[in-house]
Amino acid sequence: MSGSFGRRDFIKAATAIVGGVIGVALGVPAIAYLIDPALRASAKEGWVPILKVEDAPVGKLVPFSFTRVQVNGWERTSTNFGGYVLRKSEDPNDMLILNSRCTHLGCTVNWKEDAQAFLCPCHDAKFGRDGEVLDGPPPKPLERFSEFRVSADGLIEIFFKAG
Amino acid sequence: MWKKAYEWLDERLGLNAMYTNLLDRPEPRGNWWNTLGSASLFLFIIQGLTGIFLTVYYTPSPDHAYDSVQYIMNGVAFGWLIRGIHHWGASLMVIVVFIHLLRVFFTASFKYPRELTWLIGIGLLITTLGMGFTGYLLPWHQMAFWATTVGTQIAGTVPFVGEFILKALRGGPELSALTLQRFFAAHIWMLPAVLAGLIGVHLFLIIKHGESHYPSQDE
Ligand code: HEM
Ligand code: FES
């Protein structure tokens, strides 16, 4: 029987082919199923009101925070974001809005008056008034919300992007 | 190169012997009814795989169980497929295991030396039914809730210890979050572990004794 394709060879080949087809037919959907949440768009972008202009005196760092709610699967998850507004002059458009998310690994930094710096509780990072790195591991300055506007009724609004 | 690597491994693991004993062992003349045990095994593996995938999204809490199942069906790519296979596979497995039992019964294969294989088989059937019972509650919809109410109530009619059994199954006198959680634990950890162990012994015995054959005329 050598050389010819016998009954046993046929069964082996059939098993391999059927097994392969089932494996692919189940394996590909299984992978899609697993990575599905990673392929979804995250929180919608949009304008978010953060502070009244009158509550932010010129030259003073004023903290703000806001919450975004998103539907994740079967649940609504709210995530907190925060930052500081620093008005540079009387011109309402002359201001700096910093994100308090540390650029190292994402902890929240706090302004410390006596140190005159933003301190990160996680790995001792230090950022200056304009968000520049003074000390520690962060690779870049604090992020700025550079798209902002002041609404007719005196609210500072920032354009929030996902991520 | 591959040949050498294979020979090295074979010398230590006995791959060739394993292949011969597991997949190339002599079988008596049989028919399709003799494949039902393997079909049961296949279904067990499929249920295990799809079940593991379901736990990626399923949440065993009264607040979220129903919603998480809805999410699997409508929100996740191929969620309907994974759940569909697990859902229909569960019923199919009970049927196939039971017909396998009938085949063993009608060919009288449970006789010496295979009594233990048979007894372990009974354990496999009961555990498989247990999987169905515990799994049915998990979607936490009306039907699941009342089916489990009734099922545990029936278990509660056992004389003397009935009330204890009912409370032990429900984790209290009524169906609650505790019921859902313990059914989940039983469904994904305890019963599958029991099934896997029993299947292991079942298969060991089958390979040890070889499969039974019909007696020939002069036997
Ligand atoms: C999870 C369920 C089960 C699995 C995975 C399973 C698996 C298997 C497999 C692969 C075989 C080889 C022969 C054949 O396929 O017919 C077998 C044989 C056998 N099974 Fe099962 N089985 C299960 C349930 C049961 C049940 C419920 C019984 C009966 C109470 C049972 C009793 C036996 C016996 C006595 C044999 C030996 C038959 C012979 O040697 O001819 N099994 N089983
Ligand atoms: S996260 Fe802020 S220093 Fe590491």
Side-chain angles (χ1 to χ4, degrees):
Chain A
M1 211 171 78
S2 68
S4 68
F5 190 76
R7 196 174 79 101
R8 302 187 129 233
D9 299 301
F10 171 75
I11 298 215
K12 271 185 207 168
T15 308
I17 292 169
V18 172
V21 168
I22 295 178
V24 172
L26 280 184
V28 173
I31 291 169
Y33 174 88
L34 270 191
I35 62 173
D36 184 70
L39 304 178
R40 270 164 206 279
S42 49
K44 291 264 180 306
E45 29 182 62
W47 288 98
V48 185
I50 54 169
L51 207 67
K52 284 194 194 132
V53 189
E54 62 194 54
D55 290 339
V58 174
K60 199 168 175 309
L61 278 161
V62 183
F64 67 87
S65 65
F66 61 95
T67 307
R68 301 238 82 192
V69 177
Q70 205 204 341
V71 177
N72 283 313
W74 54 92
E75 203 173 38
R76 297 163 72 78
T77 316
S78 43
T79 315
N80 290 313
F81 298 90
Y84 290 83
V85 173
L86 177 61
R87 288 181 63 198
K88 298 274 188 180
S89 70
E90 285 301 333
D91 177 359
N93 285 317
D94 185 16
M95 61 184 158
L96 186 64
I97 305 178
L98 294 173
N99 187 338
S100 55
R101 188 176 182 275
C102 180
T103 51
H104 180 223
L105 293 170
C107 299
T108 301
V109 301
N110 292 299
W111 176 254
K112 285 281 171 316
E113 204 56 56
D114 42 352
Q116 282 298 304
F118 291 102
L119 301 186
C120 180
C122 293
H123 315 97
D124 287 337
K126 239 173 153 182
F127 300 88
R129 241 178 129 67
D130 291 333
E132 73 278 15
V133 181
L134 298 180
D135 197 7
K140 49 182 197 251
L142 289 177
E143 204 183 296
R144 295 176 180 192
F145 291 108
S146 47
E147 260 183 276
F148 59 85
R149 68 184 185 194
V150 179
S151 72
D153 43 356
L155 276 174
I156 304 174
E157 298 181 336
I158 56 176
F159 192 72
F160 178 85
K161 291 199 201 73
Chain B
M1 223 285 270
W2 291 119
K3 201 161 176 266
K4 271 200 135 159
Y6 179 81
E7 275 164 11
W8 190 92
L9 282 173
D10 181 38
E11 227 176 296
R12 293 152 237 249
L13 293 171
L15 295 176
N16 280 338
M18 243 190 262
Y19 177 80
T20 324
N21 286 322
L22 292 176
L23 296 176
D24 210 2
R25 67 198 137 84
E27 291 277 329
R29 283 203 96 70
N31 54 41
W32 285 99
W33 299 105
N34 295 60
T35 62
L36 289 172
S38 302
S40 308
L41 179 63
F42 176 76
L43 285 169
F44 173 69
I45 293 168
I46 290 289
Q47 291 302 95
L49 289 176
T50 51
I52 288 170
F53 276 88
L54 285 176
T55 66
V56 174
Y57 296 103
Y58 174 77
T59 309
S61 114
D63 291 346
H64 296 306
Y66 181 79
D67 291 339
S68 66
V69 172
Q70 291 308 306
Y71 182 66
I72 291 171
M73 292 305 281
N74 305 317
V76 190
F78 295 108
W80 57 271
L81 180 63
I82 306 276
R83 174 155 183 250
I85 294 174
H86 199 76
H87 180 94
W88 294 106
S91 302
L92 191 60
M93 183 167 165
V94 171
I95 294 169
V96 170
V97 168
F98 189 68
I99 303 178
H100 170 59
L101 178 150
L102 290 181
R103 170 324 252 176
V104 171
F105 179 76
F106 283 118
T107 56
S109 304
F110 51 82
K111 292 182 182 177
Y112 174 84
R114 299 187 179 83
E115 303 95 322
L116 273 181
T117 319
W118 170 266
L119 284 177
I120 288 166
I122 300 288
L124 283 168
L125 178 66
I126 293 171
T127 319
T128 305
L129 291 174
M131 289 296 288
F133 183 57
T134 51
Y136 199 76
L137 177 65
L138 301 184
W140 201 249
H141 46 44
Q142 289 287 323
M143 237 159 46
F145 189 89
W146 295 117
T148 306
T149 305
V150 171
T152 47
Q153 195 77 44
I154 291 172
T157 59
V158 176
F160 308 114
V161 290
E163 200 188 322
F164 167 76
I165 295 178
L166 180 137
K167 282 191 187 164
L169 285 174
R170 291 185 180 174
E174 304 295 338
L175 253 70
S176 68
L178 289 182
T179 322
L180 181 57
Q181 192 70 37
R182 62 188 21 297
F183 270 50
F184 180 67
H187 189 76
I188 74 159
W189 295 120
M190 301 173 190
L191 296 177
V194 171
L195 264 185
L198 290 179
I199 289 174
V201 184
H202 201 71
L203 294 186
F204 169 77
L205 289 174
I206 287 150
I207 289 166
K208 181 174 162 65
H209 295 304
E211 218 175 305
S212 63
H213 63 285
Y214 297 104
S216 62
Q217 219 136 49
D218 23 274
E219 265 178 299

